[in-house]
Structure formats: structure tokens, C-alpha cells
Amino acid sequence: MPAVQLLLLACLLGGVGARTAQFQKANDRSGRCQYTFSVASPSESSCPEQGQAMLAIQDLQRDSSEQRATLESTKARLSSLEALLHRLTSGQPAGPLETQQGLQRELEALRREREQLETQTQELESAYSNLVRDKSALEEEKRRLQAENEDLARRLESSSQEVASLRRGQCPQAHSSSQDVPSGSREGCGELVWVGEPITLRTAETITGKYGVWMRDPQAAFPYTGETTWRIDTVGTDIRQVFEYDHIRQFTQGYPSKVHVLPRPLESTGAVVYRGSLYFQAAESRTVLRYDLRTETLKAEKEIPGAGYHGQFPYSWGGYTDIDLAVDEIGLWVIYSTEAAKGAIVLSKLNPETLELEQTWETNIRKQSVANAFIICGTLYTVSSYSLPDATVNFAYDTGTRSSKALTVPFKNRYKYSSMVDYNPLERKLFAWDNFNMVSYDIKLSRL
């Protein structure tokens, strides 16, 4: 080693704390010149063994390697973060896997929050829908109770009058003439003098609903109410489905709560619901059936003697409307014709349990000359046309007097094809099916 370098090394060693460094120059045993430095350790009192020194060196090397690796890792992460920051600030997509995973975690968290919000929104919407439905049901129940209260008030007034008559010794005489109307409540009855504009409640969705019948039970039995609605689409050859709606809102929106499948197919649009049973004409026969809606079983059947069927004596619009059932304040009726009556309307009062004919009237109204018929307070009314927009209720036949007369009460066929007209004595309305549309009419009766 040159002398200058040795001097520089001595200066460096002296600079790190070796204050007692000594420099010597002498020849070795072979006569070569040697330079010797002696430096005292600042921390060690004696020199360690050679093996211990190697261990210390190895520890230092290992620590240095670990620190170097840590530093390189830190530098790599820093570079990655700097690159990410640069891409984010410059609008470029992030690339490193760690960043994508972090963003993915945030995205998943946002999705969970969105799902929670959507669930809460759906729960609130469902609760609101339930409240609206309950409100509609309560309003309808209120109207039904008001109607019942009015009916009870009328009955109470009638009872009071009868009690007063009995006290005066003037007992009312029983109806004994065969021409008198059968027993039943005629409170509030009178002659039909006005039919209002049709109110559209629902429109059928398919061609099977061009003709049909819809009904409510004027004397509903548990589990049904005056609001429960039934509907039958009658276009087809095997009509068995009866759609049931617990609430009016379900009916108007087209969401049935139940679908009955009848054990035998029905024919035409003459069905009615009364006291928890569906009454209908069996297809291609003169048989009337009673189907219990609660137990979903047939309870009675009766062949109407001599009645035309399957197009023999229909209404003017056709549709195999030979046998038409009806309900009023007095009870259950069947409207039809026979060969013996030469096509004139025949009217019979039916026992609602057994379907036995209790009493029969033959009118002078030709059945095929009128479009439809319904009964109010024991009086049969007919409609002049099923298609003219401005038709009329043109005849009335009173079963109490066995006489008929002409009328000119305006009746609107808004959709120009009325295939069913029935009276509901609980609501005091006409229900009709007019060219896919289920409509109702308000009415007015004159005072007796």
C-alpha cells in the first residue's frame, strides 16, 4: 500500500474517534519496510476472539440485508403509490392489484348500502300500499255499514208501524192470492225512474273477456263481505274459472285472491252470487247448479222444466243467454222461456237451498226482442238494445199485479255491446258487462 494512502487511512481512523492512533515505520525480518498503525478501541476493553468477531460481522450483514430489503420494498410501494396518484390526478385508470382490491372493497360496501336502502324503500312502499288498501277496505266497509244502518232503520220503522197497527187491532192480512208477490223485504221499493251514466271499474285483458259476468253477494256470509267480487270471462267452450277478489281495489287492478275451477262448465252470462253460493246454468243444458264458494262443492242442481237452452230462446244479442239468473230484495229468480210460452219471458222464484221452483209467472214480453233483463223489488225490467249508445229500459212486469207496461227510462251502452245487466239490492246499483268493460250504474226508484 503506498505511504500516502496509509496516511489518509490514519487520518480517517483518527476522525472516528481514535484519538491515540500511533504510526510506526520499521523493516520486517526479511528487510522490507513496514508501516504500522495502532488504534485504541473506544468501547471495547479487550479484543474479542476471532469467532465472535465473525458472528458480529454476520449479524451486521444480515441486519443490513434485511434493512436493504425493507428499503427496497418501501421504495417499490412508494413508487406504486406515486404512480397511482399520478394516474388518479391525470384521470387514468388505476392498475395495481392492491388499488383495485381497495376500490373493489369500497364498491362492495356501497353496493351493500344501496341494497339496504332499496330494501328499506321496498318495505316503506309495501307498508304504504298496505295502508292504502286498508284505507280503501275501511271506506268500503264504512259505506256497507251505512247502507246496513239505513236498511235497519227502514225495517225498524216498518216494524214500529206494524206494532202500532197491532195495538189498534188492525193486523195486516197475509198474501193469499196466487197473483201476489212472494215473501221478502220490499222496504224502499218503487218503480225504476232513472239510470245514471255507466262507471267503468275494470277492463278485461284478453279476448275471452269480451263477454262476461261480474257479481257481489247482497247477502254475504262469512268469510265473504259485501265487497268481495267475483268475475267470469265467458268467451269459450269450457268455461270453468271463477276469479275471486277480496277487496274492490284488487278487482279494479286485476289481482284475484283466488281462482275457483268449477266441477262442471257453465254457459253464458246469467250467473249470480247469493248467500255464499254461485248459481249458474250448466253448459248445453237447462240445469241450474248451486256451487258453495266456501267449500268449493256442488250443493244442488235443478232442471228448469221446459226451459229453452243453448240458443233456443236467448236475448237479442245471442250468447246462449237462454237462462238468466237474478237476485233482488225478495230473493233468487230465473228468467227464461219455453215452447209453451212461445218465446215469451217466463219468470220463476227459486228456493236458494234446493233450487225448487216456488212460483212462476208468464209475461207477454218476447225474450228475443229485448237485449237483457233484471229484477228490482219483484218487478222485471228489460233493456231495449245491447248496442245502441242511447238505449232504454223499455218494459216492466210487476209480479205483484201480473201486469206489464212500457217504459222509456234512458240506458247508456257506452261501449256498444252489453252482454250482461244485473241488479245488486245491497248497493242499489246495476252491474253490467259492456264489450270487455265491467261497469256499474246508479239508479233511482220512485216512492211507493
Side-chain angles (χ1 to χ4, degrees), residues 1 77 123 146 171 179 183 190 222 244 246 283 287 291 296 312 325 334 348 369-371 380 413 422-423:
M1 181 179 292
R77 292 176 61 190
E123 291 174 350
Q146 287 176 342
C171 296
Q179 296 183 355
S183 61
F222 181 83
E244 180 179 298
D246 289 337
T287 301
Y291 172 82
E296 302 182 41
Q312 190 175 2
L325 293 148
V334 59
S348 293
S369 70
V370 297
L380 173 78
N413 291 307
D422 278 337
Y423 171 64

Side-chain angles (χ1 to χ4, degrees), residues 31-138:
R32 296 180 62 184
C33 181
Q34 280 189 336
Y35 294 90
T36 305
F37 292 90
S38 299
V39 182
S41 173
S43 60
E44 295 176 327
S45 59
S46 61
C47 293
E49 295 294 332
Q50 183 175 0
Q52 294 178 345
M54 290 302 296
L55 290 174
I57 291 172
Q58 291 173 358
D59 290 338
L60 289 174
Q61 289 176 343
R62 185 167 54 252
D63 294 340
S64 176
S65 297
E66 292 175 355
Q67 292 176 358
R68 190 179 299 109
T70 303
L71 179 60
E72 292 297 325
S73 175
T74 303
K75 288 171 64 180
R77 292 176 61 190
L78 180 60
S79 298
S80 176
L81 290 173
E82 288 175 345
L84 173 62
L85 179 61
H86 175 71
R87 278 192 288 270
L88 291 175
T89 54
S90 62
Q92 299 179 7
L97 180 60
E98 293 84 0
T99 303
Q100 292 180 6
Q101 291 175 344
L103 292 174
Q104 187 66 26
R105 285 193 295 271
E106 289 190 25
L107 182 59
E108 290 297 330
L110 289 173
R111 284 176 177 170
R112 286 193 297 271
E113 291 179 2
R114 185 186 68 181
E115 290 174 354
Q116 292 174 354
L117 288 174
E118 288 177 347
T119 301
Q120 292 174 358
T121 301
Q122 290 174 356
E123 291 174 350
L124 288 173
E125 289 176 346
S126 176
Y128 177 76
S129 177
N130 290 336
L131 287 174
V132 171
R133 185 174 63 252
D134 293 343
K135 177 185 176 185
S136 299
L138 289 173

Side-chain angles (χ1 to χ4, degrees), residues 133-148:
R133 185 174 63 252
D134 293 343
K135 177 185 176 185
S136 299
L138 289 173
E139 289 175 346
E140 185 62 27
E141 182 68 12
K142 178 183 176 182
R143 288 192 291 269
R144 188 181 67 82
L145 291 173
Q146 287 176 342
E148 289 181 356

